[in-house]
Amino acid sequence: MTSDEQDAPGDPESVARAICLRLLAQRARTGAELAQALRRRGVPDEAAGTVLDRFAEVGLVDDDALARNVALIQHGERGLAARAVAVKLRQRGFPDSAVEAALGLIDPDSEREAARQLAARKLPALRALPPETRSRRLVGMLGRRGYSLAVAVDVVRDVMAGELPQHLADDVAGE
């Protein structure tokens, strides 16, 4: 226990508040993350529930808003597909309703564009490799980021066609 928790009165709700405030001062957390931390510290479920409900009422814990922010960051900055974002959100303990609402912000067009940007950014580092190896590595990288095989193949085909001379790109596009 930290000195704050040791100095807190023996009241389980006071201990729970001190733990939650300390954790929230570090970074935003889900209700599930806070509940788990309180359980690990031996705070009774009733006291934990009371404190977490109150924190939600006053807006210190907002799973829906946090899920939306995390989803947009994971998708926009890290280039993850909606499927991979959903996995990340569920790992953090977001409720299904918050996950579904957050995924609603990621449309198929933005997903395809994020995949295209990732592939285009990675392509220059692979220029020395044969085209088959480049495309295989790019498709694999996009797959690890949660993109479906169909999206990955289409995006890689488009990105690699963009690096070909125009007369060859027309031939690839016509296939």
Side-chain angles (χ1 to χ4, degrees), residues 129-152:
L129 300 172
E132 302 81 30
T133 304
R134 279 185 287 188
S135 71
R136 187 178 65 246
R137 288 190 182 180
L138 289 172
V139 168
M141 182 260 311
L142 291 173
R144 287 187 298 280
R145 299 278 179 114
Y147 294 95
S148 70
L149 181 60
V151 168

Side-chain angles (χ1 to χ4, degrees), residues 72-147:
L72 291 175
I73 289 168
Q74 293 293 317
H75 177 64
E77 292 178 11
R78 299 208 47 232
L80 296 184
R83 187 171 64 183
V85 170
V87 169
K88 293 264 188 202
L89 294 175
R90 287 190 175 99
Q91 285 173 341
R92 285 200 50 191
F94 286 101
D96 287 339
S97 60
V99 171
E100 294 306 317
L103 294 180
L105 300 173
I106 302 172
D107 63 63
D109 291 338
S110 74
E111 199 170 66
R112 183 175 286 281
E113 179 58 22
R116 191 195 67 68
Q117 287 176 6
L118 278 171
R121 208 169 41 232
K122 180 77 171 170
L123 187 59
L126 304 175
R127 290 230 194 271
L129 300 172
E132 302 81 30
T133 304
R134 279 185 287 188
S135 71
R136 187 178 65 246
R137 288 190 182 180
L138 289 172
V139 168
M141 182 260 311
L142 291 173
R144 287 187 298 280
R145 299 278 179 114
Y147 294 95

Side-chain angles (χ1 to χ4, degrees), residues 12 15-20 23 31-45 47-49 51-52:
V15 171
R17 269 192 298 279
I19 292 169
C20 289
L23 291 173
E33 288 172 323
L34 292 172
Q36 183 180 28
L38 294 174
R39 227 175 282 115
R40 278 195 314 264
R41 298 294 183 125
V43 174
D45 289 342
V51 169
L52 291 175

Side-chain angles (χ1 to χ4, degrees), residues 8-28:
D11 173 29
E13 287 183 22
S14 296
V15 171
R17 269 192 298 279
I19 292 169
C20 289
L21 288 172
R22 181 180 48 80
L23 291 173
L24 289 170
Q26 295 168 357
R27 68 172 173 84

Side-chain angles (χ1 to χ4, degrees), residues 60-81:
L60 289 173
V61 176
D62 186 346
D63 285 349
D64 292 337
L66 182 57
R68 286 189 303 271
N69 288 339
V70 170
L72 291 175
I73 289 168
Q74 293 293 317
H75 177 64
E77 292 178 11
R78 299 208 47 232
L80 296 184

